[in-house]
Amino acid sequence: VQLQASGGGLVPGGGSLRLSCAASGTIFSINDMAWYRQAPGKQRDLVAVITRAGNTNYEDSVKGRFTIARDNAKNTVFLQMNSLKPEDTAVYYCNAQVRISAAFSFAREYWGQGTLVTVSS
């Protein structure tokens, strides 16, 4: 299973970006999908998570600005980021809990390669 993230870039403060992450390979189903971010010199933190049913949860600092969504048919998760701030600058990683077979009830965690988001002041 591979996760391919895209959509990062340089944007001025107040601007918007949309990140995408597509999962490919041997996939039976995907449970939770999420976006994390890691700023320079800091730990990787959860930004937003979405269940297969579409229930979402957000880190407090992005509530009202970021929206996570997914397309189950395409095994893809999105992160729409609006009203971006310089403190949102980080490498953003997608994460997915993947079941590779109907014969196995457990899901394994996979990570994308990261996409850099830089917000200028």
Side-chain angles (χ1 to χ4, degrees):
V1 175
Q2 291 186 327
L3 273 61
Q4 182 68 45
S6 61
L10 174 63
V11 62
S16 297
L17 281 176
R18 186 180 190 235
L19 306 183
S20 299
C21 176
S24 61
T26 303
I27 298 171
F28 171 70
S29 67
I30 301 178
N31 297 341
D32 291 357
M33 302 185 83
W35 288 95
Y36 287 73
R37 66 185 178 187
Q38 187 168 18
K42 296 188 176 182
Q43 66 181 20
R44 189 177 299 186
D45 292 323
L46 177 66
V47 175
V49 60
I50 184 168
T51 68
R52 183 169 181 81
N55 298 310
T56 59
N57 197 19
Y58 297 91
E59 190 267 326
D60 285 346
S61 70
V62 307
K63 287 180 180 177
R65 300 189 298 123
F66 291 10
T67 302
I68 189 170
R70 63 189 285 173
D71 183 333
N72 289 332
K74 296 182 178 180
N75 294 326
T76 301
V77 63
F78 307 95
L79 187 67
Q80 178 67 44
M81 304 184 294
N82 298 328
S83 303
L84 282 160
K85 304 175 181 180
E87 51 264 42
D88 295 317
T89 295
V91 177
Y92 284 70
Y93 297 90
C94 56
N95 173 283
Q97 308 292 327
V98 179
R99 287 180 64 191
I100 64 171
S101 170
F104 304 108
S105 61
F106 66 89
R108 180 180 174 181
E109 183 177 60
Y110 292 88
W111 291 91
Q113 85 284 9
T115 184
L116 177 62
V117 172
T118 304
V119 184
S120 61
S121 57

